[in-house]
Amino acid sequence: MKIDPIVKPLSDTCTLCGGMIDSALDLQNLPFTGIYGTYHPDSKNWAMNQSLMLCRSCGHGQLKSQLDLSFLYGNTYSYRTSKSATGRSGVEFLLNYMEQLFPGKKFSRIVDFGCNDGHLLKKLKQKGEKLLGIDLIWKDREKDFQDDRITVLGQPIEQINLWQEMGGSPDLVVSQHTIEHIADPRSLLSYMHAAAGEDTVFLFEFPCFNLLLENFRIDQLSHEHLQYFSLHSFMKLLSDQGFNLIDYTFNYHHWGAILVAFKKSKKKAGRIYVREHHRAKVSPDDVTACYRVFQRQMDCTGNVLKKCDSGKLWGYGASLMLPVLGYHLKTDFSQFVAILDDDPLKHGSGYVNLPVKIKEPKDMDFSEATICLTAMDNRRPILKHLVSRMPIRIITPLNTL
Ligand SMILES: [Zn+2]
């Protein structure tokens, strides 16, 4: 199976502030992720060199190289919010936070930028009259989404006239785990500024660079996430583009995410309190120190895996990120009997670029099994029910959960 994705540089300067950027971490031959299917031996080395670049001025993190979007979000991109337990609980967290910020408030026109399968939009119906979802996954099949008050569009946002589509400017724009995929966040915010009214509220959720570093989660660096926003760098972007921060919070259980509420600046906007350590700019030393701790733990886990009896070693959690975890653990998982997963849609499948199958754990006898937690962002829920099934031992690749 031949695959030849188009690779190009992301930017020579910071995509948020235009500042000078330097490489903070080089990852040679980092594999592609997110491809379930039948294993093709010649895809074992689907990978490309990648670097995490850091802005000298605002400390924003961004990738050096980007992959062609059609390769990433064509048929191979299989994440769907409603099918993911973490995705669904992330939606509930966002809705609760919204209710805390704007108790009982109803909106006339709601936009969900990066709406995925429309799970959040359906939940937002009780809060809004007219709803619009935008996501490239709906390209050429927008009519498949049937709903009396929700419309979806599959074109790039800059080609959409929100005023025309909705009969006025939106009063709420939500976006969950989308802007980290965007090559030019500055243009996006500038577009949003033009499309928004004076009272439009924005609520954006995305992985937080600060939490990635605090949790030693270098495995969260992947070709799909072009941007690594810290609160510091995102606030700089907001103020440069004429927005004011309203509030922020963290969802530690959804990919180490930050939720940021903001709106257009008004002359006399109040300043919100930002805790001191959240204000700090990320430095190259922060990245190096994090990588060092992460790498030691990966080396250690890799050595433990090598000592395991391969006929009794299983993974638990068939995450889209498995090739990246394998990269850091220096395994292709061929030593594993299989990767167990609770999602019936994955059973019998595998990975195009890893020689390991995905199996159902339901009737399995765990009494002889050693289980390695392999879905790094679902380790807690997996562990919770795994313990009661009494495997011989459980291996967690990182020592923080
Ligand atoms: Zn910058």
Side-chain angles (χ1 to χ4, degrees), residues 250-400:
F250 298 103
N251 183 354
Y252 294 93
H253 311 294
H254 194 202
W255 203 264
I258 184 166
L259 290 84
V260 183
F262 57 97
K263 62 198 293 188
K264 275 189 181 184
S265 305
K266 282 184 185 161
K267 274 183 186 155
K268 284 188 178 172
R271 294 184 70 85
I272 80 134
Y273 175 66
V274 177
R275 272 167 283 170
E276 187 145 0
H277 70 283
H278 295 156
R279 265 188 263 145
K281 177 176 131 182
V282 174
S283 74
D285 285 348
D286 296 335
V287 177
T288 309
C290 168
Y291 185 56
R292 204 174 291 138
V293 174
F294 170 79
Q295 205 178 21
R296 275 195 206 136
Q297 295 187 64
M298 289 291 119
D299 285 349
C300 182
T301 307
N303 287 332
V304 171
L305 291 175
K306 274 186 211 149
K307 298 269 179 202
C308 288
D309 182 344
S310 56
K312 293 170 183 171
L313 177 62
W314 301 73
Y316 208 122
S319 154
L320 290 167
M321 296 293 285
L322 197 69
V324 174
L325 179 65
Y327 168 83
H328 292 294
L329 289 172
K330 298 186 179 69
T331 177
D332 62 2
F333 299 97
S334 55
Q335 180 205 356
F336 286 56
V337 182
I339 306 293
L340 302 165
D341 199 283
D342 297 317
D343 180 356
L345 292 174
K346 294 180 190 167
H347 298 158
S349 183
Y351 293 84
V352 173
N353 49 348
L354 287 176
V356 67
K357 283 275 184 196
I358 302 170
K359 291 208 166 135
E360 182 180 7
K362 210 172 103 203
D363 300 321
M364 201 184 121
D365 175 15
F366 280 71
S367 62
E368 294 284 314
T370 292
I371 309 278
C372 179
L373 304 180
T374 45
M376 296 294 283
D377 283 276
N378 278 314
R379 283 172 294 158
R380 281 200 209 186
I382 292 171
L383 195 59
K384 200 174 156 194
H385 71 255
L386 191 55
V387 168
S388 63
R389 298 190 65 174
M390 305 285 278
I392 294 183
R393 63 182 73 83
I394 299 171
I395 300 168
T396 168
L398 282 177
N399 61 17
T400 46

Side-chain angles (χ1 to χ4, degrees), residues 14-21 55-60 233 236:
C14 174
T15 52
L16 303 196
C17 77
M20 301 265 281
I21 53 170
C55 172
R56 288 185 199 172
S57 172
C58 75
H60 178 62
S233 69
K236 171 90 173 83

Side-chain angles (χ1 to χ4, degrees), residues 72-136:
L72 281 176
Y73 302 107
N75 295 328
T76 55
Y77 184 73
S78 51
Y79 176 82
R80 296 293 177 263
T81 311
S82 62
K83 299 278 183 288
S84 150
T86 330
R88 287 194 304 271
S89 72
V91 163
E92 292 308 317
F93 187 97
L94 180 137
L95 292 169
N96 288 336
Y97 180 54
M98 221 172 102
E99 190 55 35
Q100 267 175 43
L101 288 178
F102 314 106
K105 187 169 165 64
K106 299 274 187 230
F107 297 89
S108 306
R109 289 173 290 273
I110 298 178
V111 173
D112 182 356
F113 173 57
C115 65
N116 197 270
D117 60 5
H119 181 71
L120 173 59
L121 277 171
K122 286 175 195 161
K123 297 267 179 181
L124 281 170
K125 270 178 97 171
Q126 51 185 320
K127 289 199 167 286
E129 280 168 33
K130 203 170 177 182
L131 302 97
L132 174 70
I134 301 165
D135 202 309
L136 298 178

